[in-house]
Coordinates of all heavy atoms in Angstrom, one line a residue:
Chain B
M1 N 246.5 138.4 79.1 CA 247.7 137.8 78.5 C 248.4 138.8 77.6 O 248.2 138.8 76.4 CB 247.3 136.5 77.8 CG 248.4 136.0 76.9 SD 249.5 134.8 77.6 CE 248.5 133.8 78.6
N2 N 249.2 139.8 78.2 CA 250.0 140.6 77.3 C 251.5 140.2 77.5 O 252.0 139.5 76.7 CB 249.8 142.1 77.4 CG 249.7 142.6 78.8 OD1 250.3 142.1 79.7 ND2 248.8 143.5 79.1
T3 N 252.1 140.6 78.6 CA 253.4 140.1 78.8 C 253.5 138.8 79.5 O 254.6 138.3 79.8 CB 254.2 141.2 79.6 OG1 253.6 141.3 80.9 CG2 254.2 142.5 79.0
G4 N 252.4 138.2 79.9 CA 252.4 136.9 80.6 C 252.6 137.2 82.1 O 252.7 136.3 82.9
K5 N 252.7 138.5 82.5 CA 252.9 138.7 83.9 C 251.6 138.7 84.7 O 251.6 138.5 85.9 CB 253.6 140.1 84.1 CG 255.0 140.0 83.9 CD 255.6 141.5 84.0 CE 257.1 141.4 83.6 NZ 257.6 142.8 83.3
I6 N 250.5 138.9 84.0 CA 249.2 139.0 84.6 C 248.6 137.6 84.8 O 248.3 137.1 85.9 CB 248.3 139.9 83.8 CG1 248.9 141.3 83.8 CG2 246.9 140.0 84.5 CD1 248.5 142.2 82.7
V7 N 248.4 136.9 83.7 CA 247.9 135.5 83.7 C 249.1 134.6 83.4 O 249.7 134.7 82.3 CB 246.8 135.3 82.7 CG1 246.3 133.8 82.8 CG2 245.7 136.2 82.9
R8 N 249.4 133.8 84.3 CA 250.5 132.8 84.0 C 249.9 131.6 83.4 O 248.8 131.2 83.7 CB 251.2 132.4 85.3 CG 252.0 133.5 85.9 CD 252.9 133.0 87.1 NE 253.8 134.1 87.5 CZ 254.9 133.9 88.2 NH1 255.2 132.7 88.6 NH2 255.8 134.8 88.5

Side-chain angles (χ1 to χ4, degrees):
Chain B
M1 163 89 46
N2 45 37
T3 62
K5 279 176 188 164
I6 300 158
V7 181
R8 289 187 171 199

